[in-house]
Amino acid sequence: MNFRLLSKRLLFLLMVVWAASTITFFIPRISPKNPVRERFAELARTGGFSPEDLEVIVADYSQRFGLDKPLLQQYGDYMWGILRFDLGISLNKFPKTVMQLIYESLPWTIGLVFITTILSFILGNWLGALAAWPRSPDWLKNIATSFVLFQGVPPVLLGILLIFFIGFKLKLLPLGGAYSIGTVPDQSIGFFLDVLRHQLLPGIALVLGSVGGWVISMRGMGVTIQGEDYVTFAEHKGLGPRVIFRDYYLRNALLPQITGLALALGNLVTSAIVVEGIFALPGLGTMLNSAIRSNDFSVIYGIVLFITIGIATLMVIVEFLYPLLDPRIRHQ
Amino acid sequence: MSSVTLSNTAIRQPNKVTLFFRYLRRNPSLTFGLLIMLFLVIFTVHGLLTINTKDAYPLAVRPKMPPSFQYPLGTDFFGRDLYAAMVIGMWQTAVIGVFAGALGTIIGTIFGFISAYFGGFIDAAITSICQILIPIPAFLIQVIIAGSIDKRSVTILTMAWVVLLLAWMGPTLVIRAQVLSMKERQFVSVAKLSGMTSLGIIFKEILPNLLPFIAAAFIAQVFQAVFASFYLAIVGLGPVREPLLGNTIWSAQTQGAFFNGWWWWPIGPAVAMILILGSLALINMGMDEMANPRIRRSE
Amino acid sequence: MKPVLKVVDLEVSYYTDAGRAKALDRVNLELNAGEKIGLVGESGSGKSTMALAMMRMIKPPGRIEHGQVIVDGNDLTSLSDEQMLKARLSQIAYIPQGAMNSLNPVTRIGAQMIDAIKAHSPNMPKDKMRARSLKALESVELKPEVFRMYAHELSGGMKQRVCIAIGILLEPKVIIADEPTSALDVVTQRQVMETINKVQAEIGAAVILIGHDMGLMAQSMDKVAVMYAGRLVEVSTVKEMFTAPKHPYSQALIRSLPKLDVRGVFQGIPGLAPSLLRLPSGCAFHPRCQEAMDKCKTLRPENQVLASGSRVTCHLYGEGA
Ligand SMILES: Nc1ncnc2c1ncn2[C@@H]1O[C@H](COP(=O)(O)OP(=O)(O)O)[C@@H](O)[C@H]1O
Ligand code: SF4
Ligand SMILES: [Mg+2]
């Protein structure tokens, strides 16, 4: 692998991380809101703080979170912290760190996002390739087209419809939650199945919501590839449709799709976060929801930063793996 | 290819309207999307003319009523007429979408132009910024921005601004690519040779040819803006008091609407949002098909 | 001698939004084994359409309306789709216009040769397929290493040779080469032409060479066919064509060549090519023809064989003239 390309992409990754962290650092500080005060003002409304007490507490916390230092020093500390995977301390669940909280909910989100991304990639590209293939039967094309109709519909809305029809009306699957109320998490098959039952509707919503995008881009790519001279020449050679489909059409059409995988993952994470909220599933999304509700700013910023870095990293990884699949790039 | 027998041409060439309808028949996405959009516009305009705006806000009507003749979409826990709330919510969605979409497209077009037309350092700077910002999920940044604004002061326009901040990179790159390819084409170099100024070339030669792409970028931006504002609202970062569709779903969810059996509360706004985003996506797809004749030929 | 290729009344239309374009209109052609014919005509006159129609590769919105393509006694137009798959490459081969992009970028050249053989003889042993591919590469003067290479590692001329090698893999009776040299530089053009001549001699196939370069035609073809607006207006031997062209369009073509030297790319003649959607009545060439008569505007000339052996479609000849 080319060393210059490698360093260029790594530099790009660093730039993305830097941009994301700088944005998450500065935007809240430009705004007139003081997160700590905000948080305690809310507590004061519900609990029994006096305004004077509030000032003392805010000062104490500000110091503890480093908010009283000069801006530039805060920025330096903050960036240094990010390099050490230190995203600060939760305002709400003090003294837990943001990273601790993320690690607790991350496996849930990763499970949901990775499985649905892979499923929708396979299903969407397969349908898209068949939809653009002139010999496909009409019913198959119609199925592909009906998935296209879901494109543009946020998975969360499909989720609401699914909850309504399958959870609420038919009572086939639970309305939400990580597992049935009353069960105790353990390692048993029964518990695993119960969790799976709860993940089914959100999973379907996410897959349905993201398949359409793949169908469209693969169909477009497929049509382009069919117009390519090498496909026409393959027909002139007298190859059967199966061979042309597999070796000439699919292989070429699929390659650019793979580069879109990381970006699609980013979109899916976004959707998953919102879907988790609607289904009250444990995970980064629900964590974000409750952080928004309780003004736990360090958690909000921490999650945003963590996901951004994760996606940028995945993008770079995909780019490094890509040459293994495409000989044109491998040989350069 | 012009014909040597011009008199024949005039008679046999089908007129533009016929051609457009023939085209629509082959572009069902566009036709379907436009029809849904038309229906939504009529629904909203008719609603705005007939509802009492107050009914869209809390304590206006009897709470928790299922759909009935009086309240076709039911009422919610806070005593809002959900039909009135939907009409207002659609209107507000349109305001956010068109405002942020139009501004994003204009900014993107200007940046794209500057980038492609002047090239060099400016171009490098603008494209790098776009490329660095694109992998960062816009929604997450919008969460930070929206989360940093005082919740009580969030309005529909604030939402539009938040959405706009990250909505110009797409059009910038699209327009840049188009201007670059047009710069190479004959008519621009001819205009240059004939002594037209840069500004003259931009307005007289390039801009008219760009219009279809700008229109497509606009639709895509409206879609993005509606989508983004909806996501912000549904996680509770919208203008909490307004009956924005996402807000209504958020409050339904917060009150456990399904667990309590108030199914009509989230379903109405969900269906409305599906129709809005669906029609925008269909129109967008139809325009893509129009711009890309290769897709056309396979149909 | 029995002709190895017979094209009878071939007719192709493209159905576009603006109407039906008759891209090929009652085209007739005969070719003997080992005979080489050049097909010339303005861009858009239907040369590629004719080649694709012979391969039965016209795609929507195009359609073969009528006619027969008989190769070695078999009427290709009456074959089933399955049989036609087998006939391609083994009976009649097409070497494409865009050789630059005619090879699959993601698989090796060898794989693309093997799959062609496999499609026709699925039971042939692997090493035999390989040997045959290597032999074909040798015929077009490519090194055996090319077998293991990818398209992007080859130059334009090499890619074109690979396409030729694929074209001769199954020793077809008829080879159609669609402007095989138009994307190449002059030196490479010449080499590729020599290669085509060489392999043609080796396997004794009839060749249809589509192209613009009259010089190349003069040097290596036996006959020249001239196409205008989807009609073959003249088919003559090279000698006849260059010394005494019959059809006014052919005459204009020959006149437009640089003087003293028949080499050179044909530059075109005055006037606009007609739109296929609105072909002039009678003889399609009449608006540009200097010898047009009254009946040319109304009456379509028939194809006829002259004493010289030339076939021509023009009112200047035959019983009416
Ligand atoms: N896919 C198509 N759709 C519509 N018209 C076509 C298509 N392919 C070719 N044509 C028309 O058929 C005519 C002949 O084209 P072609 O055979 O490619 O000409 P040539 O190879 O002589 O340049 C042209 O006028 C072209 O416009
Ligand atoms: S038929 Fe008439 S118009 Fe046509 S080429 Fe002959 S002389 Fe010219
Ligand atoms: Mg051609």
Side-chain angles (χ1 to χ4, degrees):
Chain A
M1 160 84 70
N2 182 320
F3 178 74
R4 260 193 57 197
L5 189 75
L6 190 105
S7 36
K8 227 170 122 184
R9 299 317 296 173
L10 282 179
L11 189 71
F12 175 75
L13 173 64
L14 280 179
M15 293 291 283
V16 171
V17 172
W18 171 79
S21 23
T22 304
I23 293 172
T24 50
F25 176 82
F26 278 107
I27 290 174
R29 283 169 175 79
I30 292 171
S31 92
K33 250 179 172 179
N34 177 343
V36 180
R37 180 184 306 280
E38 194 79 13
R39 169 82 193 109
F40 285 98
E42 193 193 300
L43 281 181
R45 275 197 300 277
T46 50
F49 291 109
S50 72
E52 296 81 51
D53 287 349
L54 181 63
E55 286 310 317
V56 177
I57 296 172
V58 168
D60 181 51
Y61 265 80
S62 296
Q63 196 202 354
R64 204 179 297 197
F65 284 98
L67 293 176
D68 54 346
K69 291 184 201 153
L71 195 66
L72 220 61
Q73 196 185 340
Q74 284 184 41
Y75 183 59
D77 289 350
Y78 177 84
M79 294 305 265
W80 174 234
I82 288 169
L83 290 179
R84 288 175 296 135
F85 292 99
D86 175 5
L87 297 175
I89 300 164
S90 163
L91 289 174
N92 202 30
K93 301 205 166 114
F94 186 84
K96 275 201 176 177
T97 66
V98 175
M99 272 319 267
Q100 276 172 333
L101 289 171
I102 287 179
Y103 282 142
E104 281 168 21
S105 35
L106 190 61
W108 292 97
T109 303
I110 286 190
L112 186 63
V113 167
F114 268 91
I115 292 174
T116 48
T117 303
I118 289 169
L119 280 182
S120 58
F121 181 82
I122 295 174
L123 189 64
N125 283 301
W126 183 71
L127 281 173
L130 287 172
W133 187 243
R135 288 166 170 272
S136 306
D138 279 345
W139 59 267
L140 232 166
K141 288 185 184 172
N142 292 338
I143 290 182
T145 314
S146 55
F147 274 102
V148 170
L149 291 180
F150 288 122
Q151 195 263 349
V153 178
V156 66
L157 291 177
L158 299 172
I160 291 172
L161 293 187
L162 286 172
I163 297 180
F164 175 63
F165 285 112
I166 297 177
F168 185 81
K169 283 261 162 195
L170 301 174
K171 308 211 184 316
L172 290 177
L173 286 167
L175 296 175
Y179 40 80
S180 303
I181 301 162
T183 43
V184 184
D186 56 21
Q187 304 279 331
S188 71
I189 297 277
F191 178 71
F192 175 76
L193 288 179
D194 188 45
V195 169
L196 203 63
R197 249 165 59 84
H198 284 76
Q199 297 277 349
L200 213 52
L201 283 187
I204 293 174
L206 283 173
V207 171
L208 281 185
S210 42
V211 159
W214 290 119
V215 174
I216 291 178
S217 58
M218 185 61 173
R219 194 176 59 175
M221 188 51 64
V223 172
T224 308
I225 298 286
Q226 266 164 55
E228 293 286 349
D229 293 334
Y230 51 81
V231 175
T232 319
F233 189 42
E235 289 177 68
H236 280 296
K237 292 199 292 187
L239 298 188
R242 268 171 186 283
V243 178
I244 296 181
F245 185 85
R246 193 188 60 215
D247 293 348
Y248 289 75
Y249 169 71
L250 198 57
R251 275 187 75 160
N252 280 287
L254 214 46
L255 280 178
Q257 294 295 90
I258 290 169
T259 34
L261 200 52
L263 216 54
L265 200 74
N267 289 333
L268 210 92
V269 168
T270 305
S271 295
I273 282 177
V274 181
V275 167
E276 277 178 3
I278 285 289
F279 282 91
L281 297 175
L284 291 179
T286 301
M287 193 174 136
L288 183 71
N289 261 337
S290 67
I292 289 172
R293 218 160 284 175
S294 60
N295 286 322
D296 193 341
F297 294 93
S298 43
V299 170
I300 301 179
Y301 306 148
I303 292 178
V304 169
L305 204 56
F306 182 84
I307 293 177
T308 308
I309 295 174
I311 288 168
T313 314
L314 277 171
M315 279 178 81
V316 174
I317 292 177
V318 166
E319 256 183 76
F320 283 133
L321 293 181
Y322 187 74
L324 297 181
L325 302 169
D326 190 339
R328 279 165 297 189
I329 294 179
R330 198 189 315 153
H331 286 257
Q332 260 164 23
Chain B
M1 218 189 306
S2 90
S3 163
V4 265
T5 49
L6 273 174
S7 54
N8 253 349
T9 318
I11 302 165
R12 288 225 213 128
Q13 183 74 18
N15 68 28
K16 283 221 167 89
V17 182
T18 321
L19 282 179
F20 179 69
F21 275 104
R22 271 193 210 172
Y23 177 66
L24 273 189
R25 214 168 39 197
R26 278 190 302 119
N27 193 338
S29 316
L30 192 62
T31 317
F32 212 50
L34 287 173
L35 281 178
I36 300 177
M37 187 52 74
L38 188 70
F39 166 76
L40 291 172
V41 169
I42 292 173
F43 175 88
T44 311
V45 171
H46 170 259
L48 285 173
L49 292 175
T50 50
I51 58 155
N52 180 353
T53 313
K54 273 207 201 95
D55 291 348
Y57 294 88
L59 306 178
V61 294
R62 254 183 79 189
K64 299 184 278 188
M65 299 281 287
S68 64
F69 187 71
Q70 193 185 359
Y71 303 116
L73 298 176
T75 68
D76 74 1
F77 178 82
F78 301 107
R80 292 182 285 204
D81 174 4
L82 285 169
Y83 170 66
M86 181 184 288
V87 170
I88 301 282
M90 301 256 271
W91 167 244
Q92 291 173 338
T93 303
V95 169
I96 294 178
V98 172
F99 180 80
L103 268 186
T105 310
I106 292 173
I107 296 173
T109 307
I110 293 173
F111 278 2
F113 248 111
I114 294 175
S115 196
Y117 209 82
F118 298 105
F121 173 74
I122 303 176
D123 183 32
I126 292 180
T127 39
S128 316
I129 292 176
C130 289
Q131 273 158 0
I132 288 175
L133 285 180
I134 280 175
I136 304 175
F139 168 68
L140 296 175
I141 301 299
Q142 284 154 350
V143 163
I144 291 197
I145 302 173
S148 303
I149 307 170
D150 196 333
K151 263 183 203 160
R152 278 147 303 193
S153 63
V154 173
T155 64
I156 298 296
L157 274 192
T158 332
M159 288 289 279
W161 283 110
V162 171
V163 170
L164 174 63
L165 281 175
L166 285 163
W168 51 271
M169 292 98 70
T172 300
L173 292 180
V174 171
I175 298 298
R176 175 180 172 273
Q178 288 304 327
V179 175
L180 275 185
S181 85
M182 274 178 207
K183 251 172 83 177
E184 300 303 312
R185 274 185 237 163
Q186 197 122 32
F187 59 89
V188 175
S189 31
V190 168
K192 259 188 189 159
L193 280 180
S194 63
M196 254 170 122
T197 60
S198 288
L199 226 57
I201 294 175
I202 289 177
F203 284 106
K204 289 223 181 71
E205 305 292 334
I206 297 187
L207 208 53
N209 287 290
L210 271 185
L211 280 178
F213 297 97
I214 296 178
F218 172 68
I219 298 291
Q221 280 325 105
V222 173
F223 176 85
Q224 296 288 345
V226 172
F227 201 109
S229 59
F230 171 68
Y231 265 18
L232 286 176
I234 209 171
V235 295
L237 287 170
V240 197
R241 273 186 259 263
E242 296 297 335
L244 206 54
L245 297 171
N247 282 345
T248 310
I249 296 178
W250 176 73
S251 44
Q253 195 55 26
T254 331
Q255 301 301 328
F258 280 116
F259 285 101
N260 289 315
W262 310 321
W263 55 268
W264 59 88
W265 191 359
I267 285 295
V271 171
M273 205 63 200
I274 288 177
L275 288 180
I276 295 174
L277 288 172
S279 73
L280 285 170
L282 284 171
I283 294 175
N284 197 14
M285 245 158 55
M287 290 175 91
D288 270 357
E289 257 169 43
M290 207 149 64
N292 186 350
R294 267 201 164 154
I295 295 184
R296 228 161 79 184
R297 211 178 284 168
S298 85
E299 302 289 11
Chain C
M1 192 176 188
K2 202 164 156 270
V4 69
L5 171 74
K6 238 176 117 169
V7 176
V8 185
D9 277 341
L10 198 55
E11 218 174 294
V12 174
S13 299
Y14 290 103
Y15 290 82
T16 66
D17 270 359
R20 172 180 156 188
K22 238 187 201 182
L24 220 55
D25 197 351
R26 279 189 261 149
V27 165
N28 287 282
L29 187 68
E30 274 185 22
L31 219 50
N32 292 326
E35 207 171 20
K36 296 183 282 184
I37 190 167
L39 181 58
V40 297
E42 284 162 309
S43 171
S45 58
K47 305 182 298 291
S48 297
T49 301
M50 177 167 171
L52 295 178
M54 286 193 276
M55 300 293 295
R56 265 179 61 184
M57 285 275 294
I58 298 285
K59 293 193 181 152
R63 209 170 83 190
I64 298 182
E65 307 275 17
H66 182 76
Q68 289 170 308
V69 178
I70 300 165
V71 175
D72 209 19
N74 292 320
D75 181 4
L76 299 185
T77 50
S78 68
L79 297 183
S80 70
D81 286 350
E82 299 293 310
Q83 290 169 319
M84 190 59 216
L85 283 184
K86 297 272 179 207
R88 286 187 194 128
L89 201 65
S90 67
Q91 298 276 319
I92 181 167
Y94 178 84
I95 296 167
Q97 193 163 9
M100 287 304 140
N101 303 313
S102 287
L103 297 169
N104 190 346
V106 299
T107 53
R108 294 177 199 278
I109 302 299
Q112 296 177 53
M113 303 184 84
I114 301 264
D115 66 7
I117 303 175
K118 205 171 181 173
H120 293 86
S121 337
N123 300 323
M124 190 187 282
K126 257 244 146 74
D127 50 338
K128 217 175 147 200
M129 290 189 197
R130 199 185 142 87
R132 182 176 278 206
S133 308
L134 288 173
K135 188 173 150 252
L137 285 176
E138 198 192 324
S139 301
V140 298
E141 283 150 354
L142 284 173
K143 291 174 295 185
E145 289 87 78
V146 172
F147 189 80
R148 290 199 43 79
M149 287 164 108
Y150 289 97
H152 68 271
E153 299 171 276
L154 307 176
S155 70
M158 289 163 91
K159 282 188 228 178
Q160 186 56 272
R161 279 158 202 270
V162 170
C163 289
I164 297 171
I166 291 175
I168 58 167
L169 269 178
L170 303 175
E171 309 199 340
K173 306 279 188 308
V174 179
I175 297 176
I176 309 168
D178 194 351
E179 306 196 23
T181 59
S182 57
L184 305 173
D185 63 81
V186 184
V187 179
T188 322
Q189 277 185 9
R190 190 134 302 266
Q191 290 168 345
V192 167
M193 266 322 291
E194 278 163 14
T195 307
I196 291 180
N197 281 327
K198 176 171 167 282
V199 299
Q200 188 268 342
E202 272 175 30
I203 68 174
V207 167
I208 300 177
L209 179 79
I210 300 176
H212 278 127
D213 189 334
M214 286 296 227
L216 283 181
M217 300 280 169
Q219 266 179 358
S220 40
M221 294 293 113
D222 303 318
K223 284 182 175 175
V224 178
V226 179
M227 185 161 262
Y228 186 81
R231 300 168 190 181
L232 274 188
V233 292
E234 178 169 351
V235 182
S236 295
T237 62
V238 163
K239 186 158 170 262
E240 197 80 15
M241 183 62 79
F242 282 89
T243 53
K246 298 293 175 303
H247 194 276
Y249 179 61
S250 324
Q251 291 166 358
L253 281 188
I254 300 297
R255 267 203 307 278
S256 74
L257 292 176
K259 293 279 169 316
L260 298 177
D261 179 4
V262 284
R263 284 209 48 212
V265 176
F266 128 70
Q267 303 288 331
I269 60 161
L272 285 169
S275 158
L276 294 179
L277 291 170
R278 297 175 291 276
L279 277 183
S281 55
C283 170
F285 187 58
H286 83 251
R288 297 164 86 183
C289 181
Q290 290 173 351
E291 327 219 2
M293 304 162 281
D294 275 348
K295 70 170 166 186
C296 300
K297 297 192 175 111
T298 49
L299 199 64
R300 216 183 127 172
E302 289 300 321
N303 191 290
Q304 51 201 309
V305 185
L306 304 185
S308 64
S310 293
R311 277 173 163 273
V312 62
T313 315
C314 171
H315 286 309
L316 290 175
Y317 304 91
E319 69 284 3

